[in-house]
Amino acid sequence: MATLASGLAPFARRFFPAVGMTLFIVLSIPTSGGAAPAAMLPTFFQYVHAVIPLGNAVEALRSALCFGRAGMLRPVLVLCAWIAAGIALLGLDARRHRHAARTGGRCRAPVTVLDPGGRQLVSTLTNAYGAYAAAAALRRCRTGGLPAAGP
């Protein structure tokens, strides 16, 4: 799960906590088959159990510990598929950064500025130089509305 989460983070960006919570907690724990066997789950959760990593990890452990490794191949293959998906996403992100470096472009990054009380003050993206709009506006205020030197 960590490999997929690492690969998913650059693409989900600021929505990553919601995506991660939904995928790895809200769907994984009820469908894992740890508290109740997968056969006793509702039909939708049985389908989710077949592809979610936590459910397959529980099945692989159960097969190894209780059934002499019988039926362990499918859960291990599903876990390997999740690892491969994570590696593919990491590779895609690395390719995107290499392309940006080759072409001289820079990746824009999301920026959220919070006050000491935790309230959101600014949510924006950086420009090509890594600065964001709030910093540029602050420089304009300090210079009396004149454009500031530099990026």
Side-chain angles (χ1 to χ4, degrees):
M1 285 195 289
T3 306
L4 183 75
S6 297
L8 190 60
F11 298 100
R13 296 192 180 179
R14 66 178 165 190
F15 301 108
F16 178 69
V19 171
M21 291 279 290
T22 301
L23 186 61
F24 299 124
I25 294 176
V26 174
L27 288 177
S28 286
I29 292 174
T31 63
S32 69
M40 295 180 69
L41 296 173
T43 307
F44 170 75
F45 289 117
Q46 287 180 11
Y47 289 122
V48 173
H49 171 80
V51 296
I52 211 82
L54 185 59
N56 284 285
V58 168
E59 290 295 323
L61 284 172
R62 187 177 290 141
S63 295
L65 298 174
C66 301
F67 301 110
R69 297 186 182 141
M72 192 171 161
L73 181 62
R74 189 192 60 79
V76 169
L77 290 176
V78 171
L79 291 172
C80 289
W82 280 90
I83 292 169
I87 291 170
L89 286 172
L90 286 169
L92 189 62
D93 184 50
R95 181 175 178 232
R96 184 176 63 141
H97 283 282
R98 275 196 311 272
H99 176 71
R102 262 196 324 265
T103 59
R106 297 196 178 144
C107 294
R108 294 176 55 155
V111 176
T112 302
V113 179
L114 304 175
D115 71 358
R119 291 183 307 244
Q120 179 177 328
L121 298 176
V122 176
S123 180
T124 186
L125 292 172
T126 59
N127 63 13
Y129 300 105
Y132 54 97
L138 183 60
R139 278 196 300 260
R140 279 196 300 273
C141 288
R142 288 183 182 161
T143 59
L146 300 172

